[in-house]
């Protein structure tokens, strides 16, 4: 993720200002700012079509115990970008998903079981450590002829009629017809452009880590719904390793994070009802604040927002990064065939196409999370009835599974089956 140092912030100029073209500044079709997974995927997708693309951002190490469940459409994208072959041996298939109500509700439904083969897939997706995903995308980016890697932070952006000019923190600048902000939830480019963002927080944090356990996960991802949030175990390769996302109240999450490895492993085993046997901490830990952000219109003059620059929500339901990857693939479709990647017509089409998808995913995750935090009986009843319906009504279950994995409406071309 691109970072702008505190002493650089005074040099950030609004993208509504005028940039003076300079014959010494290289001109690209697109400059992507941010070297995380979404930024890398965006740059690769655009360069794949022969667009002269620059990727601006430092390649910082990633090691916080987080994994990502790449849904089927995201895997199709990574395959089209030439990155999946290196990733597949390091990823575990998710062939089943189980939801277990552990809230103590009076309307507690039986566990809901979802099987990928019911919708014609071998797996809903594949779980992989985030650090491995980013490293594989970086390796692929170094191989692509039309992609230039500029390992400096952006220090500001100005806009002329036909281009944007990015200043670099090490000196120099980059000009592009379009700037893509993949610079995270605090996006300096979004803030400098004056794009409206709605923000909210939750009274929770998510503890993330990697686990080893004595029983085989059998490629089943299990999510316990508790009164403080979801507790999710997701398979990793080898059968006896899983990733953990444990959402709980802030104080409890901080207390859990402060435990030594043995004590934390015992607490996880108890919360998991010993379903995977004895636990052992087998990777780094992370503690993630639970927050949300949405941008009604994720474009500005010669600027497009992707990933967390455009939308942030809790790590629930494997939707966050997958939504960001859909942004990347959709931007590639919007730009394809255009003589000017930053033209207003191109950006308007991209914004229209992403608005509904982002709104639906953000709303679904927000509604689920908030429903767990209240003991309000009608809310409990509605959530329990919904899970019961998914368990017993096969056509509804299949529809929800398909929409969760790859939405039917507006799916970008590189993500289609």
């Amino acid at each position: 993720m691109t970072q702008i140092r505190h002493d650089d912030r005074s040099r950030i100029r609004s993208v509504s200002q005028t940039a003076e073209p300079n014959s010494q500044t290289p001109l690209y079709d697109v400059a992507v700012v941010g070297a995380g997974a979404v930024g890398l995927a965006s740059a690769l997708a655009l360069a794949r079509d022969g667009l002269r693309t620059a990727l601006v951002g430092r390649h910082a190490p990633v090691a916080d115990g987080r994994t990502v469940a790449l849904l089927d459409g995201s895997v199709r994208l990574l395959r089209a970008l030439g990155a999946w072959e290196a990733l597949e041996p390091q990823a575990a298939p998710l062939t089943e998903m189980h939801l277990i109500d552990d809230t103590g509700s009076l309307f507690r439904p039986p566990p809901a079981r979802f099987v990928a083969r019911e919708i014609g897939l071998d797996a809903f997706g594949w779980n992989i450590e985030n650090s491995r995903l980013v490293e594989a995308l970086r390796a692929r980016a170094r191989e692509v002829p039309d992609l230039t890697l500029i390992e400096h932070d952006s220090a500001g952006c100005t806009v002329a009629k036909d281009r944007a000019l990015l200043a670099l923190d090490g000196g120099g600048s980059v000009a592009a017809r379009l700037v893509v902000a993949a610079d995270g939830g605090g996006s300096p480019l979004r803030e400098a452009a004056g794009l409206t963002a709605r923000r909210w927080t939750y009274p929770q944090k998510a503890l993330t880590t990697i686990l080893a356990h004595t029983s085989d996960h059998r490629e089943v991802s299990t999510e316990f719904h508790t009164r403080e949030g979801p507790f999710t175990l997701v398979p990793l390769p080898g059968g006896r390793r899983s990733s953990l996302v444990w959402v709980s109240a802030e104080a409890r999450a901080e207390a859990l994070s402060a435990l030594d490895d043995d004590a934390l492993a015992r607490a996880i085993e108890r919360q998991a009802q010993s379903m995977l046997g004895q636990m052992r901490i087998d990777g780094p830990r992370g503690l993630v604040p639970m927050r949300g952000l949405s941008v009604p219109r994720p474009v500005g003059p010669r600027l497009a927002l992707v990933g967390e620059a455009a939308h942030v929500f809790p790590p629930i339901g494997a939707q966050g990064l997958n939504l960001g990857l859909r942004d990347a693939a959709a931007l590639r479709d919007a730009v394809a065939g255009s003589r000017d990647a930053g033209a207003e017509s191109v950006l308007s089409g991209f914004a229209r196409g992403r608005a509904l998808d982002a709104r639906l995913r953000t709303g679904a995750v927000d509604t689920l999370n908030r429903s767990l935090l209240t003991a309000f009986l009608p809310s409990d009843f509605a959530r329990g009835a919904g899970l019961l319906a998914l368990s017993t009504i096969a056509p509804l279950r299949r529809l929800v599974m398909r929409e969760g994995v790859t939405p039917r409406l507006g799916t970008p071309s590189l993500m289609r089956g």
Side-chain angles (χ1 to χ4, degrees):
M1 181 185 300
T2 296
Q3 300 291 330
I4 295 201
R5 299 190 307 268
H6 179 75
D7 59 356
D8 288 327
R9 292 185 184 275
S10 62
R11 294 192 283 132
I12 298 176
R13 293 167 290 171
S14 168
V15 295
S16 64
Q17 292 176 293
T18 300
E20 295 296 332
N22 185 329
S23 60
Q24 302 301 313
T25 301
L27 176 63
Y28 293 90
D29 293 308
V30 185
V32 180
V33 178
V38 173
L40 285 158
S42 299
L44 285 166
L46 295 162
R48 177 183 183 272
D49 289 344
L51 292 171
R52 293 162 297 171
T53 305
L55 178 65
V56 179
R58 299 185 190 277
H59 292 187
V62 178
D64 62 357
R66 298 183 72 174
T67 66
V68 56
L70 296 165
L71 300 178
D72 184 70
S74 296
V75 171
R76 293 179 190 276
L77 171 64
L78 293 170
R79 187 175 284 117
L81 299 181
W84 183 244
E85 184 177 351
L87 287 167
E88 188 171 11
Q90 305 173 68
L94 310 179
T95 60
E96 292 189 26
M97 292 190 289
H98 296 176
L99 300 182
I100 299 172
D101 190 308
D102 195 23
T103 62
S105 167
L106 293 174
F107 303 104
R108 181 178 179 181
R113 178 172 174 258
F114 304 92
V115 181
R117 290 196 178 277
E118 192 174 352
I119 55 172
L121 297 176
D122 291 331
F124 291 113
W126 284 259
N127 194 38
I128 189 166
E129 293 178 47
N130 194 41
S131 58
R132 295 181 183 273
L133 171 63
V134 172
E135 282 303 320
L137 288 170
R138 285 176 184 167
R140 179 62 184 144
R142 296 184 189 105
E143 300 171 349
V144 175
D146 289 305
L147 179 54
T148 301
L149 305 184
I150 301 173
E151 296 197 32
H152 290 278
D153 290 339
S154 165
C157 181
T158 55
V159 172
K161 181 178 180 181
D162 66 343
R163 71 190 65 194
L165 188 68
L166 283 171
L168 303 176
D169 70 347
S173 59
V174 172
R177 303 294 185 196
L178 170 66
V179 172
V180 179
D183 52 348
S187 175
L189 286 170
R190 183 193 66 229
E191 297 302 309
L195 296 179
T196 301
R198 183 174 71 91
R199 297 175 175 83
W200 63 94
T201 60
Y202 302 91
Q204 304 158 290
K205 289 186 177 179
L207 174 67
T208 64
T209 193
I210 307 295
L211 305 167
H213 39 79
T214 56
S215 297
D216 199 303
H217 53 56
R218 297 184 177 87
E219 300 176 351
V220 176
S221 177
T222 304
E223 183 170 292
F224 292 85
H225 289 173
T226 79
R227 267 301 170 224
E228 294 185 357
F231 170 95
T232 309
L233 297 164
V234 191
L236 283 170
R240 298 194 175 187
R241 293 181 78 236
S242 294
S243 61
L244 169 73
V245 179
W246 188 350
V247 178
S248 58
E250 288 180 290
R252 188 183 187 198
E254 291 166 359
L256 288 167
S257 183
L259 296 175
D260 63 36
D261 282 357
D262 288 342
L264 178 59
R266 288 193 297 270
I268 294 168
E269 185 179 334
R270 285 193 300 271
Q271 186 65 52
Q273 301 175 11
S274 299
M275 63 178 298
L276 292 178
Q278 188 174 354
M279 298 283 191
R280 175 171 59 83
I281 306 301
D282 196 37
R285 306 182 194 183
L287 194 60
V288 184
M290 297 284 280
R291 58 196 175 93
L293 177 147
S294 66
V295 179
R297 183 172 168 79
V299 297
R302 299 205 170 270
L303 178 70
L305 310 183
V306 297
E308 291 196 344
H311 41 71
V312 176
F313 45 84
I316 295 172
Q319 293 298 321
L321 180 60
N322 288 283
L323 183 59
L325 293 176
R326 283 203 296 281
D327 293 340
L331 181 62
R332 176 260 180 189
D333 284 358
V335 168
S338 172
R339 291 185 177 182
D340 182 354
E344 185 177 352
S345 59
V346 171
L347 295 176
S348 293
F350 169 73
R352 285 193 304 271
R354 298 311 300 141
L356 180 60
D357 190 14
R359 192 161 58 244
L360 288 175
R361 306 292 153 175
T362 302
V365 170
D366 181 71
T367 299
L368 171 60
N369 189 47
R370 291 186 189 279
S371 75
L372 295 174
L373 297 178
T374 177
F376 186 52
L377 288 179
S379 177
D380 269 357
F381 177 77
R383 180 168 42 80
L387 283 176
L388 184 60
L390 290 175
S391 297
T392 56
I393 304 174
L396 175 62
R397 181 172 63 253
R398 288 192 289 269
L399 174 64
V400 170
M401 286 192 288
R402 289 192 188 99
E403 283 301 304
V405 173
T406 305
R408 291 193 178 198
L409 295 177
T411 300
S413 57
L414 294 183
M415 291 182 147
R416 294 176 192 154

